[in-house]
Amino acid sequence: MASKIVKASGAQPDEFELSVAQELLNLETSAPELKADLHSSYISAAKELDLDGGRKAIIIFVPFRQLKDFHKVQNRIVRELEKKFSGRHVVIVAQRTILPKTFNRSALQKGPRPVSRTLTAVHESILEDIVYPTEIVGKRIRYKVDGTKILKVFLDPKDLVNVETKLDTFAKVYKALTNKDVVFQFPVENP
């Protein structure tokens, strides 16, 4: 069980994170087709998020380097974990680092701050992680009269059946992680 969760700087996982790690371990041992993909994979954190109507969502953070491995079997993992955790929506997100504008590298690391570590790039990547395996086909920013911004994200219509029930969950998870308002929609085709 301890091999399925590795926290940064040796911190101790809490009870909820241990239960998620245990379910991943159970999934690895019970499904032989997942064993090869999940054998060396682990998570770095897990959070439970309260949604509207008393529902909950589970956010699983994985190390960035292992995100591709999780993407290979993400549909199956999410489906099984949603069964185990009684219908809660499960979202897998990579653990990314945001470096400040004033970041200065040490003598060993030369050069400017990588673009992939900027606030904007990390937020865009989180957005893509949340909706995976659905693709984002368009984005619009709507500025309201009172000065607030809402990001409208258009998802691929071919995944309408699979994702339609999770749109509110995606918006709440993105708001919790980035503190930005977002609305997920499917593009309307004009005849």
Side-chain angles (χ1 to χ4, degrees), residues 124 127 136-144 148-155 174 180-188 190:
E124 292 289 322
L127 188 63
I136 297 172
V137 295
K139 293 181 204 163
R140 305 285 184 273
I141 298 176
R142 179 161 182 225
Y143 295 93
K144 292 189 172 182
T148 59
K149 290 193 302 188
I150 293 183
L151 178 64
K152 287 187 174 185
V153 177
F154 297 101
L155 302 176
Y174 189 72
K180 291 182 179 176
D181 291 320
V182 67
V183 175
F184 291 95
Q185 299 175 335
F186 292 96
V188 178
N190 295 330

Side-chain angles (χ1 to χ4, degrees), residues 57-73:
I58 298 171
I59 308 170
I60 299 175
F61 294 94
V62 299
F64 174 74
R65 291 176 179 237
Q66 292 191 357
L67 184 65
K68 290 232 185 290
D69 295 335
F70 274 94
H71 278 343
K72 290 178 191 172
V73 291

Side-chain angles (χ1 to χ4, degrees), residues 27-99:
L27 188 60
E28 177 188 337
T29 56
S30 66
E33 64 274 7
L34 295 177
K35 189 170 183 101
D37 292 318
L38 286 178
H39 180 67
S40 61
S41 301
Y42 58 89
I43 64 173
S44 57
K47 255 171 60 171
E48 194 170 34
L49 182 68
D50 293 325
L51 303 174
D52 297 333
R55 294 179 307 135
K56 295 183 184 261
I58 298 171
I59 308 170
I60 299 175
F61 294 94
V62 299
F64 174 74
R65 291 176 179 237
Q66 292 191 357
L67 184 65
K68 290 232 185 290
D69 295 335
F70 274 94
H71 278 343
K72 290 178 191 172
V73 291
Q74 181 164 341
N75 286 339
R76 178 82 191 272
I77 291 173
V78 167
R79 193 172 345 111
E80 294 295 328
L81 287 177
E82 285 177 351
K83 282 185 212 170
K84 299 279 187 195
F85 288 105
S86 66
R88 297 180 200 161
H89 290 157
V90 176
V91 177
I92 297 177
V93 179
Q95 187 81 46
R96 291 185 168 84
T97 305
I98 299 173
L99 297 175

Side-chain angles (χ1 to χ4, degrees), residues 115-134:
V115 174
S116 65
R117 306 290 195 287
T118 62
L119 178 83
T120 306
V122 169
H123 285 189
E124 292 289 322
S125 300
I126 288 173
L127 188 63
E128 290 172 11
D129 288 351
I130 288 172
V131 300
Y132 188 85
T134 305

